[in-house]
Amino acid sequence: MKGVKYMELLGALLPLLLMFAIFYFLLIRPQQKRQKKIQEMHQALQKGDRVITIGGMHGKIDAIDEDKIVVDVNGSQKLTFDRQAVREVVNPD
C-alpha cells in the first residue's frame, strides 16, 4: 500500500522536476554564463580600450578606476561612465 502512494507521489512530482531541469538548462544556466562573461569583460577593461556603452556611445578609455571610466569620445570631449555602462570592447585584434 505504501509503495503505491510513493509511486503516485513520484508520478506527480516527476513532471515538475523535469520542467525545472528544462528551465534550468535552457534559461537560467545560459543567463548565468552571459552574466559571468560580462563581469569578466568589465574587470579586464584597460586604458586605451575602444568601447561601446549601453547607451551606444563609442569612444576610447582615457582613465579608469575601480567603478568609473573616463571615455574620450572624439579627441576633445571626455565623458565619465560607471564601469558597468560598458556594453562591449571593440579593440581591433
Side-chain angles (χ1 to χ4, degrees), residues 46-51 59-65 69-73 75 77-79:
Q46 300 178 28
K47 183 177 178 176
D49 283 348
R50 299 197 66 73
V51 296
K60 186 168 133 180
I61 296 178
D62 187 57
I64 191 166
D65 68 8
I69 61 170
V70 177
V71 177
D72 184 5
V73 179
Q77 293 184 345
K78 295 180 181 178
L79 302 171

Side-chain angles (χ1 to χ4, degrees), residues 31-45 54 83-88:
Q31 177 63 28
Q32 287 175 339
K33 283 184 174 185
R34 275 192 299 273
Q35 192 64 31
K36 184 177 179 184
K37 188 176 177 183
I38 290 169
Q39 248 179 344
E40 289 170 355
M41 184 260 305
H42 286 156
Q43 293 299 321
L45 290 173
I54 56 175
R83 192 181 274 238
Q84 285 76 24
V86 175
R87 182 178 70 199
E88 65 180 298

